[in-house]
Amino acid sequence: MAAKPAETRRLYLQIADKLRALMEQPDFARNGRLPPERELAERLGVSRPTVREALVALELEGRVEIRMGSGVYVCATHGEATSAVPNEDELGDSLVDNMAARSLIEGAIVASVAPFAKPKALKALRAIYDDMAREVAAGQIPIGPDRAFHAAIAQMSGNEVLIRLIASLFDERHSPLSTKLRDHFENDGTWRAALGEHKEILDALEARDPVQAQAAMQRHIKASLERVMAQRKQG
């Protein structure tokens, strides 16, 4: 299969290509350790989140190892490819792009449904939130209730296209790239914060306030991205 033109490939994959080339330079990764994300971002002319996504792509490829609290290191066996390594199409979309799309679309949806939310739908949404709260309190990751919460708001629109779209965008979190990012940078504290943000969305819907509902949804999605992308590794 012919390679995709560079300009049509995801930006983080283009940056991963550049990092591979830099890793071949003898003085780039001193003692096997790559420069900090900030330095890489400045050198490559992109944002730190894009660099982080590129590094995770290289980790999935087996070329580097991300050690929390220490840095990113070249793997001694990086030249050995395995069948388990996902190809470019399997890696998934940029989490930054995905969350930007969700913020725009889910923000518009929740604003449009807030004034007309039916008591039955709100009661069901409250029950989903309660399920999420119980799982968080038990130290579990509430993936099921989280998805159900966002899906339920989309269903309030009655628009099947939007319902499918939100489900597809949400399920992108299970792509290899997004899963690895979350494995590294999410923790119990991030889910406690997310629970409070869902409460703000629910409260705004129950008040039938479209402005606050949209603001709460967009704050939540922005904060969710920042919890994965803004946390710093030492070094």
Side-chain angles (χ1 to χ4, degrees):
M1 181 180 294
K4 295 179 181 178
E7 64 272 11
T8 68
R9 296 172 69 236
R10 301 175 178 106
L11 180 58
Y12 77 84
L13 291 172
Q14 297 179 44
I15 298 306
D17 290 343
K18 294 180 179 180
L19 286 171
R20 284 190 206 93
L22 288 172
M23 287 163 56
E24 298 301 323
Q25 298 180 7
D27 294 331
F28 176 69
R30 296 181 182 276
N31 299 316
R33 182 181 179 183
L34 273 62
E37 285 179 0
R38 180 178 62 254
E39 182 178 329
L40 291 174
E42 292 173 353
R43 182 167 183 170
L44 296 169
V46 294
S47 68
R48 287 184 65 180
T50 297
V51 168
R52 181 166 290 187
E53 289 181 334
L55 290 171
V56 168
L58 292 176
E59 184 177 38
L60 287 166
E61 189 178 313
R63 287 182 174 266
V64 302
E65 178 186 359
I66 298 175
R67 303 177 190 172
M68 297 304 297
S70 178
V72 182
Y73 295 82
V74 177
C75 292
T77 59
H78 71 267
E80 299 178 7
T82 70
S83 59
V85 175
N87 62 39
E88 290 187 1
D89 291 330
E90 294 172 335
L91 277 171
D93 290 323
S94 161
L95 183 61
V96 175
D97 290 348
N98 176 274
M99 297 300 261
R102 285 187 58 194
S103 179
L104 180 65
I105 298 169
E106 292 195 59
I109 291 172
V110 76
S112 70
V113 304
F116 313 105
K118 297 179 180 178
K120 183 177 180 180
L122 291 174
K123 182 178 179 180
L125 192 64
R126 170 68 66 173
I128 293 169
Y129 169 80
D130 290 343
D131 287 342
M132 184 184 299
R134 281 191 289 271
E135 291 195 12
V136 171
Q140 301 172 355
I141 297 177
I143 293 296
D146 188 18
R147 185 187 191 283
F149 186 94
H150 289 269
I153 294 173
Q155 288 166 2
M156 290 182 191
S157 71
N159 186 311
E160 293 297 329
V161 174
L162 289 176
I163 293 168
R164 290 197 303 271
L165 178 58
I166 294 308
S168 176
L169 287 171
F170 191 92
D171 289 343
E172 178 65 20
R173 69 182 295 148
H174 300 302
S175 71
L177 180 75
S178 292
T179 297
K180 196 69 170 179
L181 280 164
R182 293 177 186 281
D183 285 348
H184 278 312
F185 302 107
E186 281 190 341
N187 52 51
D188 290 344
T190 66
W191 279 106
R192 286 193 294 271
L195 180 65
E197 293 155 13
H198 284 81
K199 178 66 161 52
E200 292 177 357
I201 297 168
L202 176 59
D203 287 346
L205 281 168
E206 290 179 335
R208 292 176 173 77
D209 187 330
V211 174
Q212 288 303 316
Q214 182 175 40
M217 179 65 78
Q218 292 181 331
R219 281 197 304 271
H220 163 56
I221 293 175
K222 179 182 178 182
S224 295
L225 179 62
E226 288 177 346
R227 283 190 282 270
V228 175
M229 292 298 191
Q231 292 191 51
R232 298 184 179 182
K233 299 185 290 294
Q234 296 177 6

